Amino acid sequence: MSSSAVEADTPDLVCQLDNVQGMVDALSSVRWKRHQDAVVELSEHGVVLIVEETGCLQAKVYLKRELFLSYEYRSEGRPRFGVSLGIFVDCLNTFSVPGHSSTIEIRYPGPDMQLLLKSVDSPDACIYAEIRTRIPDTISWDYNFEPAGSTPLSFTVKSAALKEAIDDLEWPGSSIQIVLQPDPPSVTFKGEGHGDLQIDFMYYVSTDLLIAFHCDRRVSYRYKYKFLRATTSNIPSSVIKDNRGSKLTIGRGGMLKVQHLVSVSRSSIQHQHIDSAGYQQPSRIAYIEFYVKPEEEEEDI
Amino acid sequence: MKFKAFLTDNGVNLLEKRFLPALDKMGRICHLYLSRDHAIFLHNLLNGDGVQSIAQFRKETLFEDYRISSQNDDRIAFSLDLALLHRALRSSVSICIEGGAANRLQIKLVKKLPPNSRQPTPFLTFETKGYKSAVIQDVPISKPLSRADVMELQSALDMAQDLPQTLVQVPDLVQLQSFVDRLKHVGDLLNISITQYGDLHLQVSTTLITVGSEFRKLRVLGVQAEVPAGDPDMSAQSRTEMAIQRGEALSVQVSMKHFAKSLQCHLAKPDCAFYGIAPQGTCLTVIFQFFIPGTRQTDKSVSLHCRLPVLETGSG
């Protein structure tokens, strides 16, 4: 248990982070249920956290090394470990003092393969945590995302509008059809269940909502509502406030990729005042990606 | 058995704005124990398992024209509902203000026949004369405690006065509270260690996670020891373990719920707070101090302290 044992072996990673709330926001956005096991992968480029749901939905949070105040990586391979996402987020939350910017140090592995966290702001008042890690499960299926053709099938929509549309589709529920067509350029979300609901984003009518659109042929896939909902249900309020775009891409076989950007700016107080025009250092962004598999029976129409 | 007094402005202010909100968080029902010189609000002194809290006021702090008489050495004790007391006091105060400065707020013990009942019941009554009206508010109370029960309460109170050998001052109660609020999600049991060097170490541990917080170089009252020379990078756990081995620290485990509750005492706006562990780790004591307004001198006429039951003792 003594700290000297930690120092004897060089840890794979020692990094410092000055915006804990930003990291909490980023990790919370992939927290769609109470008990989730996550796999964390460390590399010289940063930290990636992966969660998945029985082979249908996978989410990744990319925390690039530039997000950290310091990042000392000393491993040969790419160490991976499993951790409970809920515990990790609740624990990080303990370090985030409202109205204060707090700096924490993250270290892996500890003497017993734990993930170690500690606050480093003041030597006389310190918070620390040790999270038990486990050997990660193998990823159940390959989420290699491949483009569907020569032209990417993608659109970028304001995050708030996307969340609102998906929230509204809760009423028909169960299965949601997403249709992209080039003429007229539009995206349609269609729900049929307890009644029908169709939400159209017309590219030329609402360029402020649908920011970008690429599509050379009509495609249509169905996705389970609960998985679609998981992609927006927990996006942090800062993302809605910044209201940049969320990018959705349909790949080979109808695999849907949803990307959000979460600001991890220096101070948690400051980032609430940045409007959509506000400049953000690109390095201070955490990337969130969701991969949703389509429902199987549906083929291209 | 008689009790009658007028509440002073200071008394109204202390009770309405500070102590009643704080005490209400400790538990809705408490004992009010009145003696010739003191009025004391007591929680859980006669039944052992909750957080004990003792708020003691010298009679002049709250009252003027204080009159008390009973066959039990002029001591009266009963239990009451703090939320009702707070409500009655608040509304009496608003009427009193309306009536002007000359009005006084009288509080007395009465026995009345409630509607639809033939059994007279005891009440604590607030009487206010407004500009054109007089308002009486009756707060129902328990039957006054028997002589034997008052004796038991007094002896429990005497026992609760024992001070820990070492007390450390907590720098910022509000900050500690916000930390504990977030720590509550982690686990239900809190380990607390206090060293004679002025270290306070809180830790929650489950099979999956350990979260802790260490405050160092706090002000120490009572038995104090020199900080041993050692590795400055030593972890909080090792430092605490070493201090316990040297006999310069005590460690106990308390319920997280109890600890969070005791922090609610900050609603009484104390000027400082001290934590200490009673000898043999029998309880965790929190002592709140109040200064005479405008000074840094302790106001001895008001005192508030809590005792948290210990679930497990970490050191002998």
Side-chain angles (χ1 to χ4, degrees):
Chain A
M1 278 301 252
S2 80
S3 64
S4 51
V6 185
E7 277 131 26
D9 304 315
T10 329
D12 293 336
L13 177 69
V14 180
C15 61
Q16 290 198 348
L17 180 76
D18 62 357
N19 182 350
V20 181
Q21 192 53 47
M23 187 155 166
V24 169
D25 282 353
L27 297 181
S28 300
S29 56
V30 298
R31 198 179 173 183
W32 58 77
K33 61 179 188 183
R34 217 178 135 71
H35 297 290
Q36 271 172 295
D37 286 328
V39 173
V40 178
E41 189 176 286
L42 310 174
S43 73
E44 67 274 27
H45 306 295
V47 177
V48 185
L49 178 132
I50 307 159
V51 277
E52 63 173 2
E53 175 94 27
T54 54
C56 297
L57 173 67
Q58 188 187 63
K60 287 182 175 175
V61 180
Y62 293 92
L63 302 163
K64 290 190 301 173
R65 65 179 298 157
E66 289 82 2
L67 288 181
F68 297 90
L69 214 55
S70 66
Y71 192 90
E72 292 169 43
Y73 179 78
R74 287 196 209 90
S75 179
E76 295 292 310
R78 292 197 166 191
R80 284 153 56 101
F81 59 87
V83 68
S84 151
L85 179 63
I87 286 180
F88 190 22
V89 172
D90 283 349
C91 173
L92 277 171
N93 236 330
T94 335
F95 288 84
S96 131
V97 183
H100 271 267
S101 75
S102 39
T103 306
I104 62 166
E105 184 187 276
I106 302 173
R107 186 184 279 258
Y108 177 83
D112 201 13
M113 299 305 279
Q114 315 97 315
L115 180 65
L116 305 176
L117 291 89
K118 76 175 188 213
S119 67
V120 290
D121 293 310
S122 151
D124 294 336
C126 152
I127 305 176
Y128 64 87
E130 296 179 2
I131 306 175
R132 170 154 301 194
T133 62
R134 44 174 187 71
I135 299 163
D137 304 329
T138 44
I139 303 285
S140 55
W141 58 279
D142 200 0
Y143 284 80
N144 269 344
F145 185 84
E146 291 170 34
S150 50
T151 325
L153 298 166
S154 75
F155 60 98
T156 304
V157 59
K158 282 280 165 88
S159 305
L162 177 70
K163 182 175 167 56
E164 204 173 313
I166 291 179
D167 285 351
D168 286 347
L169 286 164
E170 184 177 8
W171 165 63
S174 75
S175 165
I176 306 296
Q177 187 180 11
I178 300 181
V179 184
L180 266 73
Q181 56 184 11
D183 189 26
S186 62
V187 180
T188 302
F189 289 81
K190 208 191 250 171
E192 284 167 3
H194 321 283
D196 299 345
L197 179 67
Q198 178 169 332
I199 299 169
D200 295 312
F201 290 101
M202 309 298 283
Y203 182 50
Y204 291 125
V205 178
S206 48
T207 40
D208 51 336
L209 286 183
L210 199 58
I211 309 159
F213 183 81
H214 301 280
C215 169
D216 59 353
R217 62 186 194 282
R218 184 178 190 276
V219 285
S220 160
Y221 288 99
R222 286 186 166 278
Y223 303 92
K224 269 221 175 340
Y225 178 71
K226 65 170 183 182
F227 297 144
L228 215 50
R229 203 183 101 88
T231 65
T232 55
S233 58
N234 266 317
I235 47 178
S237 55
S238 63
V239 170
I240 300 295
K241 248 181 224 155
D242 293 0
N243 207 7
R244 276 185 232 116
S246 295
K247 185 177 177 188
L248 286 81
T249 313
I250 292 178
R252 180 174 294 168
M255 171 113 66
L256 176 71
K257 175 158 89 169
V258 182
Q259 291 168 293
H260 304 296
L261 308 176
V262 176
S263 151
V264 188
S265 59
R266 205 161 285 271
S267 143
S268 54
I269 312 149
Q270 184 200 338
H271 86 222
Q272 292 177 356
H273 300 296
I274 291 173
D275 57 17
S276 53
Y279 176 71
Q280 283 274 293
Q281 285 173 286
S283 61
R284 285 282 168 172
I285 298 285
Y287 296 86
I288 319 288
E289 286 182 0
F290 290 88
Y291 298 93
V292 190
K293 258 194 176 175
E295 287 186 305
E296 272 167 8
E297 65 273 57
E298 284 293 318
E299 290 300 321
D300 284 28
I301 298 166
Chain B
M1 189 176 288
K2 276 183 188 153
F3 166 68
K4 195 159 103 177
F6 288 94
L7 270 164
T8 60
D9 288 348
N10 182 34
V12 167
N13 190 31
L14 276 175
L15 289 180
E16 188 209 351
K17 299 265 174 15
R18 296 166 59 177
F19 278 83
L20 293 186
L23 294 174
D24 191 17
K25 297 273 187 192
M26 305 301 295
R28 230 178 132 152
I29 307 293
C30 79
H31 281 116
L32 177 56
Y33 178 24
L34 302 161
S35 69
R36 252 174 247 144
D37 301 309
H38 292 101
I40 314 171
F41 291 87
L42 305 157
H43 277 96
N44 295 323
L45 252 72
L46 293 185
N47 46 342
D49 46 357
V51 177
Q52 295 187 343
S53 89
I54 298 161
Q56 178 169 308
F57 302 91
R58 204 172 282 162
K59 69 173 189 220
E60 300 80 17
T61 322
L62 300 182
F63 305 108
E64 53 193 13
D65 292 341
Y66 184 89
R67 283 177 210 168
I68 189 165
S69 69
S70 84
Q71 290 180 344
N72 185 12
D73 199 19
D74 296 343
R75 293 188 283 194
I76 303 173
F78 47 83
S79 62
L80 52 68
D81 181 322
L82 281 167
L84 292 181
L85 180 70
H86 196 194
R87 202 156 80 191
L89 181 63
R90 238 184 340 222
S91 96
S92 302
V93 169
S94 65
I95 294 161
C96 217
I97 291 167
E98 197 181 283
N103 285 297
R104 294 205 299 172
L105 178 53
Q106 194 184 50
I107 178 169
K108 64 182 174 189
L109 210 56
V110 296
K111 225 174 200 185
K112 277 187 185 174
L113 215 53
N116 308 320
S117 167
R118 282 193 212 144
Q119 194 77 42
T121 353
F123 289 97
L124 194 61
T125 291
F126 288 81
E127 202 175 310
T128 347
K129 292 193 182 71
Y131 180 57
K132 280 182 182 164
S133 57
V135 176
I136 290 172
Q137 313 227 30
D138 294 327
V139 178
I141 59 171
S142 75
K143 249 173 63 179
L145 264 56
S146 67
R147 180 185 292 263
D149 286 343
V150 172
M151 289 277 277
E152 203 186 327
L153 195 65
Q154 179 64 52
S155 66
L157 187 61
D158 293 339
M159 295 242 300
Q161 304 298 334
D162 288 344
L163 280 183
Q165 286 188 316
T166 298
L167 287 162
V168 293
Q169 182 175 0
V170 175
D172 187 344
L173 268 188
V174 178
Q175 195 195 336
L176 184 62
Q177 195 188 14
S178 93
F179 174 69
V180 168
D181 278 344
R182 283 168 288 145
L183 210 57
K184 272 194 286 196
H185 299 287
V186 180
D188 301 329
L189 302 174
L190 181 68
N191 293 305
I192 298 191
S193 314
I194 294 172
T195 71
Q196 294 171 2
Y197 331 124
D199 299 348
L200 172 68
H201 184 182
L202 314 176
Q203 190 189 65
V204 182
S205 192
T206 68
T207 50
L208 291 175
I209 185 169
T210 300
V211 183
S213 179
E214 187 194 35
F215 300 91
R216 301 181 67 194
K217 299 185 185 155
L218 302 176
R219 197 175 140 213
V220 180
L221 295 188
V223 176
Q224 199 165 350
E226 279 296 310
V227 184
D231 179 5
D233 291 330
M234 196 187 275
S235 74
Q237 286 111 308
S238 337
R239 216 182 348 255
T240 302
E241 254 167 56
M242 252 178 70
I244 291 173
Q245 276 165 18
R246 295 164 65 104
E248 291 168 340
L250 286 175
S251 175
V252 289
Q253 189 175 68
V254 297
S255 142
M256 178 67 89
K257 226 167 41 195
H258 287 165
F259 192 76
K261 215 179 222 188
S262 75
L263 285 168
Q264 295 288 350
C265 285
H266 82 89
L267 290 170
K269 302 189 182 114
D271 292 292
C272 49
F274 295 89
Y275 278 84
I277 295 170
Q280 275 88 49
T282 47
C283 71
L284 176 73
T285 305
V286 199
I287 296 173
F288 299 95
Q289 275 190 352
F290 299 85
F291 293 155
I292 297 166
T295 71
R296 309 245 338 137
Q297 272 179 316
T298 308
D299 186 347
K300 294 231 169 78
S301 66
V302 185
S303 80
L304 174 62
H305 75 274
C306 298
R307 286 155 54 95
L308 280 67
V310 162
L311 306 174
E312 199 175 278
T313 312
S315 59

